[in-house]
Amino acid sequence: MNSIFRTLKMLDYMRMVLGICIMIDGYPLIFFFRDAMRLAPGNTTFTALALAGGLILCVPFTVLRRLYRPNFTLFWLGLGFIVVCIFYMYVYMGDLSFQPKDYQKDLIYYTYILIFLFILINVPNDIAQVFIPVVVLFTLVSNMGLVYSLITDPSWTLGQRATITLNNNDEGSGNPHVFSRNAYMSIIACAIWLFRPNTNFFFKLIALFSGVFSVAILILTQTRSATLAFIFAVIIFFYFNVRPAQIRSTVRSLFRPGPILIMLIGVLAIVFLLKKYYGVYSIVEGYLSNFIERNMENVYAILGLKAKGTNYKAVLDDSAAGRTFSTTFFSNVLVGHLHRLVFGFGYKYLYLDIPLLESLTNFGIVGFALFGGLNGLIVYHVFGIMRANPNPLSVFLAYFYLLLLVQLFVNGRPNEIWFWFPLGLMMRFIGVEHLFPAYLSDPKTPPVEETYAVVPNAQSV
């Protein structure tokens, strides 16, 4: 009987995690059903209903009867910034083309964010037990939906970014960033599931397959922010978790019959797959080389050098050129209109594509202090979590935040809904690991000890 109750409880936790996944990473599946499957192409009501369904799934049966403590400092900083955004929207409008319907749309967005924050303080910490498996499976399904839509989309050709064309528009009308976020989340969750000692062999195989699959999707989306976050995540993981003694111990453990047999089977499988699916490998390799070349063009342009193999100067692409305009605008403000930064230029005055900078230019010192303070404090907690590895949920959120950290400087606006759902998750679970029950914590791996041969003192012989 106890096992039945435990199973039902785990299923209930999975339901809540599924709702959270829809809120922070639901757009790939929403676009798949809405536009690829043509259930409601371009219909924003469909999106709103899907997100509302995610909110409903998040609600625990103990709602209003049992509340859980968030990180109050993060919570009040985030809530304060949302209040400032709503206040500026009605009192200090910077975008004169803002229409009455835009007020309604943005207010709905803020309402969703506030409801999500309220629901999260009702969600128990015990979801940490099932969080990683649900994320792995959710992101895997989303990746498969993307691949299916690409295969069945006649307007998509090799060389284009991997995304779903929205509302039957021309090529490139999709949003590859939501799919790169999904791939990045999958890689992080799969790595955690793969390296946990209590994950059984079958689930480790699923994590390995999904992780490799997600790396390929990340390459196909050709997004800088997720790629940079992935590189930072790998570097930071090795810095905090890999020591010379562990490397030597791991290398020694490989030279045993079991690991040697597994490596041999793996090599043979890779050789077989490369021969059978060499075309797929060539596609991924081509995407990777094109991505590197395209970004090197921006480096050449910044340095004032010529494009590789040509006699003309390299130029910035549209995205990088837009951020160059943003930094130029901010420099001009600092030189001639510094006083305007006290209150900012108003709600949605200018789209800078640099959220941290826009929080200052549009919302003034108060907005920048709230938004920048929130993210600065999250960074402080994140690196502490990476060092301690307290539990799978906290570790996932810490590495997931690296993507948001990169996007603070390269992508989006500070008040966008896709930015605030993950931030809400950070405000609820980051920095409160000490409040989690002991059974949610991962067992600490004992440090690898070096062995030394003791040489007797010559005088004692």
Side-chain angles (χ1 to χ4, degrees):
M1 185 64 69
N2 288 335
S3 62
I4 295 177
F5 283 127
R6 176 173 172 77
T7 301
L8 292 175
K9 185 179 292 185
M10 292 299 108
L11 291 175
D12 188 42
Y13 293 154
M14 289 180 181
R15 168 185 65 84
M16 286 182 267
V17 176
L18 177 61
I20 292 174
C21 287
I22 292 174
M23 302 308 295
I24 66 173
D25 186 44
Y27 282 107
L29 279 181
I30 291 173
F31 291 161
F32 172 73
F33 287 108
R34 193 191 72 180
D35 297 281
M37 301 302 292
R38 300 181 59 79
L39 295 182
N43 193 321
T44 56
T45 303
F46 183 92
T47 304
L49 290 175
L51 294 177
L55 287 175
I56 293 172
L57 287 173
C58 292
V59 178
F61 292 118
T62 57
V63 62
L64 297 179
R65 290 188 288 124
R66 183 177 300 171
L67 303 179
Y68 295 85
R69 180 178 177 179
N71 186 317
F72 279 114
T73 306
L74 298 180
F75 187 83
W76 291 119
L77 285 172
L79 189 62
F81 183 75
I82 295 299
V83 171
V84 167
C85 290
I86 297 174
F87 176 79
Y88 268 55
M89 182 174 66
Y90 285 102
V91 176
Y92 188 23
M93 176 57 64
D95 182 6
L96 299 180
S97 64
F98 214 65
Q99 301 295 322
K101 63 179 181 180
D102 297 322
Y103 284 96
Q104 182 181 8
K105 180 185 67 176
D106 282 19
L107 187 59
I108 290 174
Y109 289 158
Y110 294 130
T111 302
Y112 270 76
I113 294 169
L114 294 174
I115 292 175
F116 185 56
L117 290 176
F118 171 75
I119 292 175
L120 283 177
I121 63 176
N122 291 269
V123 173
N125 298 323
D126 284 352
I127 65 168
Q129 299 176 78
V130 297
F131 192 87
I132 297 301
V134 174
V135 172
V136 171
L137 297 177
F138 184 86
T139 53
L140 177 60
V141 172
S142 298
N143 281 333
M144 289 182 171
L146 172 62
V147 172
Y148 174 81
S149 66
L150 296 179
I151 294 173
T152 57
D153 184 1
S155 65
W156 187 84
T157 58
L158 292 176
Q160 293 179 227
R161 283 178 158 188
T163 185
I164 293 178
T165 302
L166 302 181
N167 197 21
N168 297 321
N169 287 330
D170 296 332
E171 60 183 51
S173 63
N175 186 353
H177 291 281
V178 299
F179 298 99
S180 65
R181 170 186 282 197
N182 181 79
Y184 177 80
M185 287 177 55
S186 178
I187 294 169
I188 298 302
C190 288
I192 294 173
W193 212 16
L194 188 62
F195 291 116
R196 290 193 73 196
N198 56 349
T199 304
N200 68 46
F201 181 73
F202 175 72
F203 291 127
K204 283 188 176 183
L205 287 179
I206 295 177
L208 180 61
F209 166 77
S210 182
V212 174
F213 185 34
S214 297
V215 171
I217 294 294
L218 184 61
I219 294 172
L220 294 178
T221 57
Q222 303 183 62
T223 55
R224 295 190 191 94
S225 55
T227 304
L228 282 175
F230 173 64
I231 294 172
F232 291 155
V234 172
I235 294 173
I236 293 172
F237 173 81
F238 276 94
Y239 177 78
F240 282 120
N241 297 280
V242 179
R243 298 290 181 268
Q246 292 173 309
I247 296 175
R248 287 191 289 269
S249 176
T250 302
V251 171
R252 285 196 298 265
S253 67
L254 293 178
F255 292 96
R256 296 175 182 173
I260 291 176
L261 179 61
I262 292 175
M263 285 189 292
L264 180 61
I265 294 174
V267 170
L268 293 176
I270 291 173
V271 172
F272 171 77
L273 291 173
L274 286 178
K275 287 184 177 180
K276 189 174 179 62
Y277 301 104
Y278 183 76
V280 176
Y281 167 77
S282 299
I283 293 170
V284 174
E285 183 186 32
Y287 267 92
L288 183 60
S289 61
N290 289 335
F291 179 75
I292 294 174
E293 290 178 6
R294 184 159 54 89
N295 285 280
M296 288 305 297
E297 289 286 317
N298 289 326
V299 175
Y300 296 146
I302 292 173
L303 298 176
L305 302 175
K306 293 181 180 179
K308 184 178 179 181
T310 65
N311 292 322
Y312 56 85
K313 283 189 176 182
V315 295
L316 296 170
D317 61 20
D318 293 339
S319 180
R323 294 187 194 95
T324 301
F325 166 78
S326 300
T327 53
T328 302
F329 168 80
F330 185 71
S331 300
N332 293 334
V333 171
L334 291 179
V335 172
H337 306 278
L338 187 60
H339 64 283
R340 294 294 302 272
L341 294 181
V342 175
F343 297 105
F345 285 83
Y347 187 76
K348 289 191 174 182
Y349 174 78
L350 185 65
Y351 178 62
L352 298 180
D353 210 17
I354 306 175
L356 195 61
L357 200 61
E358 188 173 325
S359 68
L360 176 60
T361 57
N362 288 5
F363 299 101
I365 295 176
V366 173
F368 178 75
L370 292 171
F371 188 73
L374 170 66
N375 285 279
L377 194 55
I378 292 176
V379 170
Y380 169 78
H381 288 297
V382 157
F383 282 98
I385 291 170
M386 291 175 176
R387 186 180 295 108
N389 295 319
N391 59 79
L393 172 58
S394 298
V395 173
F396 172 84
L397 293 179
Y399 283 95
F400 177 38
Y401 180 75
L402 292 178
L403 176 58
L404 302 183
L405 181 62
V406 171
Q407 291 175 335
L408 280 177
F409 302 93
V410 300
N411 188 20
R413 312 193 79 152
N415 54 323
E416 287 184 339
I417 191 171
W418 65 265
F419 207 82
W420 276 92
F421 285 145
L423 283 179
L425 210 57
M426 308 294 166
M427 292 153 58
R428 165 63 180 88
F429 292 105
I430 287 290
V432 294
E433 303 79 30
H434 59 285
L435 300 177
F436 284 25
Y439 58 82
L440 294 181
S441 301
D442 278 338
K444 302 300 179 184
T445 304
V448 178
E449 298 181 357
E450 297 284 5
T451 57
Y452 301 93
V454 179
V455 181
N457 193 316
Q459 294 180 355
S460 64
V461 177

